[in-house]
Coordinates of all heavy atoms in Angstrom, one line a residue:
L1 N 40.6 376.9 50.8 CA 42.0 376.7 51.3 C 42.9 377.6 50.4 O 42.7 377.8 49.3 CB 42.4 375.3 51.2 CG 41.5 374.3 52.2 CD1 41.8 372.8 51.8 CD2 41.6 374.6 53.6
P2 N 44.0 377.8 51.0 CA 45.0 378.7 50.3 C 45.9 377.9 49.4 O 45.7 376.7 49.4 CB 45.9 379.3 51.5 CG 45.7 378.2 52.5 CD 44.4 377.7 52.3
P3 N 46.8 378.6 48.5 CA 47.6 377.9 47.6 C 48.5 376.8 48.2 O 48.6 375.8 47.6 CB 48.3 379.1 47.0 CG 47.5 380.2 47.1 CD 46.9 380.1 48.4
R4 N 49.1 377.2 49.3 CA 50.0 376.1 50.0 C 49.5 375.7 51.2 O 49.1 376.6 52.1 CB 51.4 376.9 50.1 CG 52.2 377.1 48.9 CD 53.6 377.7 49.2 NE 53.4 379.1 49.7 CZ 53.3 380.2 48.9 NH1 53.2 380.1 47.7 NH2 53.2 381.4 49.4
L5 N 49.3 374.4 51.4 CA 48.8 373.8 52.6 C 49.7 373.3 53.6 O 50.7 372.7 53.2 CB 47.8 372.6 52.1 CG 46.7 372.8 51.1 CD1 45.8 371.5 50.9 CD2 45.9 374.0 51.5
T6 N 49.4 373.7 54.8 CA 50.2 373.2 56.0 C 49.8 371.7 56.2 O 48.7 371.4 55.7 CB 50.0 374.1 57.2 OG1 48.6 374.0 57.6 CG2 50.3 375.5 56.9
A7 N 50.5 371.2 57.1 CA 50.0 369.7 57.5 C 48.7 369.8 58.0 O 47.8 368.9 57.8 CB 51.1 369.1 58.5
S8 N 48.4 370.8 58.9 CA 47.1 371.0 59.5 C 46.0 371.1 58.5 O 45.0 370.5 58.5 CB 47.0 372.2 60.5 OG 45.9 372.3 61.1
A9 N 46.3 372.0 57.5 CA 45.4 372.3 56.5 C 44.9 370.9 55.5 O 43.9 370.7 55.3 CB 45.8 373.3 55.6
R10 N 46.1 370.2 55.5 CA 45.8 368.9 54.7 C 44.9 367.9 55.5 O 44.1 367.2 55.0 CB 47.1 368.2 54.4 CG 47.8 369.0 53.3 CD 49.1 368.1 52.8 NE 50.1 367.9 53.8 CZ 51.1 368.8 53.8 NH1 51.3 369.9 53.1 NH2 52.0 368.5 54.8
T11 N 45.2 367.9 56.9 CA 44.4 367.1 57.8 C 42.9 367.6 57.7 O 41.9 366.7 57.6 CB 44.8 367.1 59.2 OG1 46.2 366.6 59.3 CG2 44.0 366.4 60.2
L12 N 42.7 368.9 57.8 CA 41.3 369.5 57.9 C 40.6 369.2 56.4 O 39.5 369.0 56.3 CB 41.3 370.9 58.2 CG 41.7 371.3 59.7 CD1 41.7 372.6 59.8 CD2 40.7 370.6 60.6
R13 N 41.4 369.3 55.3 CA 40.9 369.0 54.1 C 40.4 367.6 54.0 O 39.3 367.4 53.4 CB 42.1 369.3 53.0 CG 41.5 369.0 51.5 CD 42.8 369.0 50.6 NE 42.4 369.0 49.2 CZ 42.1 367.9 48.5 NH1 42.1 366.6 49.2 NH2 41.8 368.0 47.3
A14 N 41.3 366.6 54.4 CA 40.8 365.2 54.4 C 39.5 365.1 55.2 O 38.5 364.3 54.9 CB 41.9 364.3 54.9
T15 N 39.5 365.7 56.5 CA 38.3 365.5 57.3 C 37.1 366.2 56.6 O 35.9 365.6 56.7 CB 38.6 366.3 58.5 OG1 39.8 365.7 59.2 CG2 37.4 366.2 59.6
A16 N 37.4 367.4 56.0 CA 36.1 368.1 55.4 C 35.5 367.1 54.1 O 34.4 367.1 54.0 CB 36.5 369.4 54.9
L17 N 36.4 366.6 53.4 CA 36.0 365.8 52.4 C 35.2 364.6 52.8 O 34.2 364.2 52.3 CB 37.2 365.3 51.4 CG 37.9 366.4 50.5 CD1 39.1 365.8 49.9 CD2 36.9 366.6 49.4
R18 N 35.8 364.0 53.8 CA 35.1 362.8 54.4 C 33.7 363.1 54.8 O 32.8 362.3 54.9 CB 35.9 362.3 55.5 CG 35.3 361.0 56.2 CD 36.2 360.4 57.3 NE 36.9 361.3 58.1 CZ 36.3 361.8 59.2 NH1 35.1 361.5 59.5 NH2 36.9 362.7 59.9
R19 N 33.5 364.4 55.4 CA 32.2 364.8 55.9 C 31.4 365.4 54.8 O 30.2 366.0 55.1 CB 32.4 365.9 57.1 CG 33.0 365.3 58.2 CD 33.3 366.1 59.4 NE 32.0 366.6 59.8 CZ 31.9 367.3 61.0 NH1 33.0 367.4 61.8 NH2 30.8 367.8 61.3
G20 N 31.7 365.4 53.5 CA 30.9 365.9 52.5 C 31.0 367.3 52.0 O 30.2 367.8 51.2
L21 N 32.0 368.0 52.6 CA 32.2 369.4 52.1 C 32.8 369.4 50.7 O 33.6 368.6 50.5 CB 33.0 370.2 53.1 CG 32.2 370.8 54.4 CD1 31.9 369.6 55.3 CD2 33.1 371.9 55.0
R22 N 32.5 370.4 50.0 CA 33.2 370.7 48.7 C 34.5 371.5 49.2 O 34.5 372.4 49.9 CB 32.3 371.5 47.9 CG 32.8 372.1 46.6 CD 31.7 372.7 45.8 NE 32.2 373.3 44.6 CZ 32.3 374.7 44.3 NH1 31.8 375.5 45.3 NH2 32.8 375.2 43.2
I23 N 35.5 371.1 48.5 CA 36.9 371.7 48.7 C 37.2 372.6 47.5 O 37.2 372.1 46.3 CB 37.9 370.7 49.0 CG1 37.6 369.9 50.2 CG2 39.4 371.4 49.3 CD1 37.5 370.7 51.5
V24 N 37.7 373.9 47.8 CA 38.2 374.8 46.8 C 39.6 375.2 47.3 O 39.7 375.8 48.2 CB 37.3 376.0 46.5 CG1 38.0 376.9 45.5 CG2 36.0 375.4 46.0

């Protein structure tokens, strides 16, 4: 993900974490 997160990026971040993805 980029340095500044949009509301959508934050939603996808939370979804990805819940699904077991590693976030960078």
Side-chain angles (χ1 to χ4, degrees):
L1 299 171
R4 288 182 293 276
L5 300 186
T6 62
S8 177
R10 288 192 291 272
T11 297
L12 291 178
R13 180 188 188 277
T15 303
L17 283 170
R18 178 172 51 77
R19 294 181 61 166
L21 276 74
R22 174 177 176 240
I23 300 297
V24 174

